[in-house]
Amino acid sequence: MPPLSENRTAMESREALHDRFGRNTVFDVLLRFSGDNAALGAAIGAITDAGARVGNIDFTAAADKVFNYRLQVFTSGDAQMAAAKAALEKTAGFEVTAVLDAALEAHRGGSTYVKSRIPIRTNTDLRIVYTPGVARVCKAIEAKPELARTYTGVGQRIAICTDGTAILGLGNIGTLAGLPVMEGKAAIFAEFAGLSAEAVLINTRDSDDFIHVMETIAGSYGAIQVEDVKAPECFAITRELDRRLDIPVMHDDQHGTATIVLAGLFSALKQMGKKMGDLSCAISGAGAAGTAIADLLVHCGIADVVLVDSRGIVEESRGDLNEEKKALARRTNKSKIKGALADALKGRELFIGVSQPNIVTQDMVRSMAPRPLIFPLANPVSEISRPDALAAGAALYADGRMMNNALAYPGLFRGALEAGAKIFTLEMLIAAAEALMALVPPGQLLPEMMDPATHEAVAAATAKAASKGGTAINR
């Protein structure tokens, strides 16, 4: 595999303007100034007065005293952009020629495509890459199947498979509507890990059918990332794929999330001089992410973990639990407490949210142990805001924008493929989290995602841990 630095030499490392401005929807506004572009300041003022914010400003063309500019505008959504456009159209000195949705434009034609690694410039090149030369490669692999990892891309290729039931906070929108997410994941794999990844859309709601499809096509891939498949089906799917296949399988919503939470927790504990055994934890959300986080934290030494779903604390006496939650209740909540989220938080040092926005109050935080750690990861709106959590006494706050799975899963998959791993283990996740903690700059919770060294360190730690075996993540 090529060094990751070869893929990332042009990357910038800086805070996303989305986060700095607190406005997640981006547009490009094209303006034409006739005769004099002095009205540019008035245009920026009109946008700002509408509550939006201007990012990059690019001068695009000039001819016959006509000046064209492209303004990057950060907004809270379509309504705010409409207000900004109306304000611009009332301002003299320029014409609004277009308003473009930056996300739609970026994904036009898809966010990834296949590119040949071998230039084909002559007929000789073609006959080496394809017939008759390719037959020699086929025969070599026929004689020694293990050579496929040397002479094909299978050892660097990942299937990103989904049934469209739990797409990125949007829910059950189907596979086709979820395809941009899968393509975005593929772009992240290419840029951050130098790996090829392909979206595999599986239009079924039957777990057995999903498993059968992936088992049938698995020979084309070196690893499988199950993506945006709802609980509890995701648990059965990943367990069964692990049992049937000899390539590593990970559900990012489960174990990518768990890894980045563990990395943030390692970093926080290091800064505070505490240990895992000092903590008790309440988790809001008992689906894919909450379950994986709970299992990893218990494995790492937090004995007292309680989970809460939409109906209250997950505990064995509840009669409404499915089989997965019954098993989860047996593994957690050692004190057998009952009640709601407020009851789960009382006296605890750590809160992790993977559930719904604005469900944690300041009084709930005040009821926790002194100076608790608050990780509300619901996107795009957290379970509690930073100002509210800190005002209620939280020692540290980190939301889903800070704790991004993309810090972990590219290196996890690269390390697993480099090691020729057949499964992902808890030890591989822990090694990745420790590698991330080791790179944290002073005053930060997690390292820089845009730095190739981050993903190189995760890959190296994962590969090393893979060589030692361990406990399978899909149990």
Side-chain angles (χ1 to χ4, degrees):
M1 296 183 188
L4 296 187
S5 56
E6 289 184 9
N7 304 322
R8 306 291 312 290
T9 53
M11 287 290 175
E12 281 189 81
S13 295
R14 63 181 183 181
E15 180 186 12
L17 292 177
H18 295 71
D19 297 334
R20 189 180 305 171
F21 293 142
R23 290 161 177 81
N24 286 327
T25 308
V26 187
F27 295 87
D28 288 324
V29 176
L30 277 56
L31 302 178
R32 177 182 293 129
F33 297 81
S34 298
D36 185 3
N37 62 2
L40 181 59
I44 295 172
I47 292 169
T48 302
D49 289 345
R53 295 292 180 265
V54 176
N56 295 329
I57 301 174
D58 295 319
F59 176 74
T60 59
D64 298 327
K65 296 185 179 181
V66 174
F67 302 89
N68 295 299
Y69 283 86
R70 179 188 293 262
L71 278 61
Q72 185 183 48
V73 179
F74 291 80
T75 75
S76 59
D78 293 327
Q80 192 171 76
M81 185 64 249
K85 183 173 183 287
L88 286 168
E89 290 172 340
K90 293 177 182 178
T91 306
F94 54 84
E95 175 190 358
V96 180
T97 59
V99 175
L100 306 175
D101 185 312
L104 290 176
E105 292 302 311
H107 284 266
R108 189 180 293 276
S111 54
T112 60
Y113 71 101
V114 175
K115 182 178 180 180
S116 174
R117 291 180 57 249
I118 305 172
I120 301 176
R121 301 287 185 262
T122 68
N123 282 326
T124 298
D125 295 336
L126 179 61
R127 289 169 67 80
I128 291 172
V129 171
Y130 197 53
T131 187
V134 72
R136 296 178 56 79
V137 186
C138 294
K139 287 185 176 182
I141 295 171
E142 181 185 23
K144 296 182 67 175
E146 63 271 20
L147 290 178
R149 295 183 68 88
T150 301
Y151 294 121
T152 76
V154 68
Q156 302 178 53
R157 188 158 53 241
I158 298 164
I160 307 174
C161 55
T162 188
D163 64 1
T165 55
I167 301 292
L168 198 65
L170 301 173
N172 185 5
I173 64 173
T175 56
L176 190 60
L179 179 56
V181 177
M182 309 308 123
E183 291 185 341
K185 286 272 188 175
I188 289 171
F189 274 120
E191 291 289 341
F192 290 177
L195 298 173
S196 298
E198 299 172 353
V200 179
L201 307 184
I202 306 176
N203 287 309
T204 181
R205 296 298 180 267
D206 186 285
S207 296
D208 290 336
D209 287 347
F210 190 109
I211 293 163
H212 175 69
V213 169
M214 291 314 302
E215 183 182 21
T216 302
I217 67 172
S220 299
Y221 303 99
I224 294 174
Q225 184 181 53
V226 178
E227 183 68 21
D228 294 344
V229 175
K230 70 180 180 70
E233 288 82 357
C234 61
F235 303 119
I237 286 170
T238 52
R239 277 198 297 264
E240 188 61 18
L241 287 176
D242 249 3
R243 189 184 72 82
R244 296 189 189 187
L245 304 177
D246 63 354
I247 59 175
V249 177
M250 176 186 288
H251 183 206
D252 185 47
D253 300 332
Q254 292 183 66
H255 299 108
T257 305
T259 302
I260 202 64
V261 167
L262 184 62
L265 187 55
F266 279 159
S267 179
L269 293 175
K270 181 179 179 181
Q271 293 177 26
M272 300 175 71
K274 291 187 175 182
K275 298 178 180 179
M276 282 285 187
D278 298 332
L279 302 180
S280 58
C281 174
I283 299 175
S284 176
T291 298
I293 292 168
D295 285 340
L296 189 57
L297 294 186
V298 169
H299 185 83
C300 289
I302 300 182
D304 188 4
V305 177
V306 174
L307 293 99
V308 184
D309 65 11
S310 60
R311 298 185 179 183
I313 292 173
V314 176
E315 46 88 15
E316 290 187 79
S317 70
R318 276 178 49 181
D320 61 340
L321 300 181
N322 60 37
E323 291 304 315
E324 295 290 346
K325 286 187 180 178
K326 287 178 183 177
L328 180 62
R330 290 191 292 270
R331 302 195 300 271
T332 58
N333 194 5
K334 301 303 183 184
S335 300
K336 310 296 183 185
I337 67 170
K338 302 179 181 181
L341 178 59
D343 301 296
L345 284 169
K346 289 178 181 176
R348 297 186 183 273
E349 290 82 12
L350 171 64
F351 167 76
I352 299 169
V354 281
S355 55
Q356 300 293 324
N358 300 319
I359 60 172
V360 174
T361 67
Q362 286 186 310
D363 284 343
M364 291 182 189
V365 175
R366 293 187 186 103
S367 77
M368 297 176 69
R371 294 182 54 77
L373 305 176
I374 306 296
F375 292 173
L377 307 183
N379 268 319
V381 180
S382 300
E383 286 83 357
I384 183 172
S385 70
R386 176 188 296 273
D388 283 353
L390 295 180
L396 188 146
Y397 177 100
D399 61 18
R401 287 180 293 275
M402 294 176 63
M403 304 184 79
N404 192 319
N405 289 10
L407 273 163
Y409 70 79
L412 279 165
F413 273 88
R414 172 138 179 163
L417 289 170
E418 287 181 344
K422 296 184 183 300
I423 61 169
F424 280 104
T425 65
L426 293 177
E427 288 74 16
M428 292 162 72
L429 307 189
I430 294 167
E434 290 174 339
L436 288 169
M437 175 193 65
L439 293 172
V440 174
Q444 301 296 315
L445 186 68
L446 290 165
E448 172 55 58
M449 187 189 307
M450 306 305 288
D451 187 348
T454 298
H455 305 284
E456 289 170 349
V458 171
T462 301
K464 183 177 180 180
S467 67
K468 299 178 180 178
T471 304
I473 60 172
N474 300 313
R475 294 175 291 169

